[in-house]
Amino acid sequence: MKKALTVLSLALLGQASAATLTVWTHFGENELVWLRDQAKAYEAKTKNKVNIVSVPFDDLTTKFLQSAPKGQGPDLIVTQAHDRIGQMAAAGVIEPMDKYMTSRTDLDKTAVQAMTYKGKLFGIPMFAESVALIYNKKLVPTAPTSWNALLSAAQKAQKSGALGFVMPLDNAYLTYGFTSAYGGYVFKNTGGTLNTKDIGLGNAGAVKAAGFMNDLRYKYNLIPEGITGDAVKSAFTQGRAAMMISGPWDIDDIRKQGIDFGIAPFPTPPGASGKWSPFVGVQGTIMNAYSKNKAAAAQFAKAITTADAQISFNKAGGRIPVSLAARTRLKSNPVVAGFSRTISAGTPMPNIPEMGSVWGPWTNAITQVSQKPGQNYSQILTKAVTEIKGTIK
């Protein structure tokens, strides 16, 4: 009888220790299938249960901020864009992950920085994206590694009737690599903390970058006036553009049109003090600060970000992994290899709420500096910075 009670007690103890995790995700189609498969493997290994709930990407942050403090939110979100990390951390609804991540050596440093807020890691990065120079190998056989080489290739393509190099100049996100190359920045980064009082979008480097963007249109005659992002993509997929700046989101359409393409960093612009460093966007798994299953949640979060998991995830949806080991094993994949280089050399888009005050004035300024030649770039950018500072509390 005593032995039977002991066995029963152990069985109940095992049941009591099993956790049921709720995971919110915006994944769809193949990526959702992948996540469910990962959950099944985790369940089989740990005896814990994982309930996956689909939530539209645009609703994730709002719903989580409202539900988490009430104990109604998920244990994990797979995945959250890093630019909302600051808002969530400031609200106290996400758990720092430092104590669960004993090693970060396999993770891209740019991705780790993106998921860090005020010195603390608030999510485990899973995949990243940035823009890069995408070139048509029929018109530009090899990637230009210097500005003079790019300009020469572009001018040669234009002589044959194509657009040599093209991008929308009114897009602050796409053009940030130029700003960073000349020494401009959004918020000064000091030891992982962004200083909202120090805005570098109107400094000497940013002014030089504005001049270069103006030159792309009026000095080098590369970018037609009024060209939009859709027009750029259309020209490239139709084989009418030799080079453009874009990201992984356009790769499927390029492939569908049979374009033989390459991916490379944009060369250092003329007279720039640093290398081209585009904005990087990262998505990672975040944990609910109110979760009652933190240890189990962390275990699952780490399980889906191993090198093996990231490789299978890439095959499911084509995302660029942040695991260095996964990238090495996928080095024959030109999309992974190409964008991994620009991600590692890039700058994480600011993850603090104050970034919301930046986009409008900055985009207006970037649009204005490329509208006609010989403008007062310093005046335009200084006005934008003043406006930004006026809206940041």
Side-chain angles (χ1 to χ4, degrees), residues 35-63:
L35 184 59
R36 286 173 174 161
D37 288 343
Q38 293 291 311
K40 289 178 182 177
Y42 171 80
E43 288 175 338
K45 183 177 181 179
T46 65
K47 307 307 178 185
N48 295 327
K49 183 174 177 56
V50 181
N51 293 325
I52 295 174
V53 180
S54 293
V55 178
F57 180 80
D58 291 340
D59 295 338
L60 271 176
T61 302
T62 301
K63 288 190 68 173

Side-chain angles (χ1 to χ4, degrees), residues 64-89:
F64 185 72
L65 287 169
Q66 292 173 346
S67 62
K70 300 175 183 177
Q72 300 172 350
D75 296 284
L76 294 170
I77 292 181
V78 182
T79 54
Q80 175 66 53
H82 88 272
D83 60 335
R84 307 305 294 270
I85 291 294
Q87 179 187 9
M88 291 181 160

Side-chain angles (χ1 to χ4, degrees), residues 211-229:
F212 173 66
M213 286 183 267
N214 187 279
D215 286 346
L216 285 172
R217 172 164 290 159
Y218 297 108
K219 178 180 179 180
Y220 303 115
N221 298 313
L222 294 177
I223 302 176
E225 293 184 44
I227 194 161
T228 64

Side-chain angles (χ1 to χ4, degrees), residues 17-181:
S17 63
T20 298
L21 301 177
T22 298
V23 176
W24 283 4
T25 186
H26 62 84
F27 292 166
E29 299 180 347
N30 293 340
E31 291 181 341
L32 182 57
V33 172
W34 172 87
L35 184 59
R36 286 173 174 161
D37 288 343
Q38 293 291 311
K40 289 178 182 177
Y42 171 80
E43 288 175 338
K45 183 177 181 179
T46 65
K47 307 307 178 185
N48 295 327
K49 183 174 177 56
V50 181
N51 293 325
I52 295 174
V53 180
S54 293
V55 178
F57 180 80
D58 291 340
D59 295 338
L60 271 176
T61 302
T62 301
K63 288 190 68 173
F64 185 72
L65 287 169
Q66 292 173 346
S67 62
K70 300 175 183 177
Q72 300 172 350
D75 296 284
L76 294 170
I77 292 181
V78 182
T79 54
Q80 175 66 53
H82 88 272
D83 60 335
R84 307 305 294 270
I85 291 294
Q87 179 187 9
M88 291 181 160
V93 296
I94 54 176
E95 180 80 2
M97 303 293 284
D98 302 86
K99 64 182 178 182
Y100 302 106
M101 293 296 292
T102 55
S103 175
R104 306 176 193 176
T105 56
D106 185 47
L107 297 176
D108 185 297
K109 292 181 179 178
T110 303
V112 172
Q113 183 183 351
M115 302 297 291
T116 300
Y117 176 74
K118 292 188 176 180
K120 293 182 179 180
L121 183 69
F122 277 95
I124 303 178
M126 193 166 162
F127 61 90
E129 63 184 20
S130 71
V131 296
L133 179 71
I134 303 178
Y135 59 99
N136 184 330
K137 291 184 177 181
K138 182 178 179 180
L139 300 173
V140 182
T142 59
T145 57
S146 69
W147 164 248
N148 286 336
L150 186 147
L151 180 59
S152 176
Q155 291 174 335
K156 182 179 179 181
Q158 287 188 167
K159 288 180 181 178
S160 67
L163 292 167
F165 167 74
V166 67
M167 66 179 295
L169 289 175
D170 59 354
N171 188 311
Y173 178 87
L174 293 181
T175 61
Y176 179 75
F178 304 141
T179 299
S180 64

Side-chain angles (χ1 to χ4, degrees), residues 269-309:
S273 57
K275 293 185 177 181
W276 181 77
S277 181
F279 268 151
V280 174
V282 179
Q283 289 198 33
T285 301
I286 62 172
M287 184 191 297
N288 190 339
Y290 295 89
S291 170
K292 296 179 181 179
N293 303 300
K294 291 178 181 177
Q299 187 182 24
F300 182 64
K302 290 191 290 184
I304 62 174
T305 51
T306 63
D308 286 343

Side-chain angles (χ1 to χ4, degrees), residues 245-262:
I245 296 287
S246 190
W249 47 84
D250 281 338
I251 296 301
D252 282 348
D253 288 331
I254 293 171
R255 281 175 164 160
K256 287 176 183 177
Q257 298 304 316
I259 302 293
D260 185 13
F261 66 94

